[in-house]
Amino acid sequence: MDTMLANLEKDTGFRLRVLCQAYPNTPGLAVRDYWSVGKEDQKDDKYVILVVDEFGGKGNVLNFNVGEGVKFALPNLFWTRLQGKYGSTFFVKENGIDLAIVNAVEAIVTCLRSEDGFCVNVPDSGVSMKSLGM
């Protein structure tokens, strides 16, 4: 995954970071400084932070902090659909949190690299699901 994210940033300028946390032990806004994202005076707004938190098995595990420079390529509807597809408690119980994270990352990367440069719908399956025979 590290290589995939590094290549995405190098090739497109989009930065995708994954933060796994367990509420209430969260880094909060400290990630903005750590990853240099989301600062008000910042010119580089092509970032996504995927926040993964199981909240004790209650609710959706995927949340997103999306920079303004990504919102045209991946509008709010995309994030809602991605959250519903891979972040639901049903998906996580059936497939595991690791596959939920990998599939979400692969869907984001696929859309940001697409010829259209725009996605509203989540791709049907990621590379990882194909390798599992799904």
Side-chain angles (χ1 to χ4, degrees):
M1 184 181 297
D2 288 341
T3 302
M4 181 189 337
L5 298 181
N7 287 338
L8 175 71
E9 185 172 348
K10 181 180 70 166
D11 298 343
T12 68
F14 289 109
R15 293 183 295 152
L16 173 57
R17 302 293 186 260
V18 179
L19 171 64
C20 298
Q21 64 183 24
Y23 183 82
N25 300 322
T26 66
L29 296 178
V31 297
R32 288 183 174 187
D33 291 330
Y34 183 73
W35 283 323
S36 296
V37 298
K39 297 178 183 177
E40 289 185 27
D41 60 343
Q42 186 174 354
K43 294 179 183 176
D44 177 14
D45 59 359
K46 293 173 63 174
Y47 67 86
V48 175
I49 299 176
L50 166 57
V51 181
V52 183
D53 194 332
E54 292 188 77
F55 295 105
K58 300 173 184 166
N60 202 296
V61 300
L62 302 178
N63 289 289
F64 309 95
N65 184 321
V66 181
E68 289 297 320
V70 179
K71 291 183 178 180
F72 177 76
L74 304 175
N76 290 341
L77 185 56
F78 172 82
W79 302 110
T80 302
R81 290 176 176 171
L82 182 62
Q83 194 178 42
K85 186 169 187 173
Y86 296 127
S88 69
T89 53
F90 175 77
F91 185 90
V92 173
K93 280 183 185 177
E94 293 291 316
N95 301 285
I97 189 111
D98 52 345
L99 195 59
I101 296 167
V102 170
N103 285 349
V105 166
E106 289 177 351
I108 295 166
V109 170
T110 298
C111 285
L112 290 174
R113 287 185 168 278
S114 71
E115 285 183 21
D116 296 336
F118 179 83
C119 276
V120 175
N121 296 314
V122 177
D124 286 336
S125 61
V127 176
S128 296
M129 290 187 73
K130 290 178 186 172
S131 68
L132 294 171
M134 299 180 147

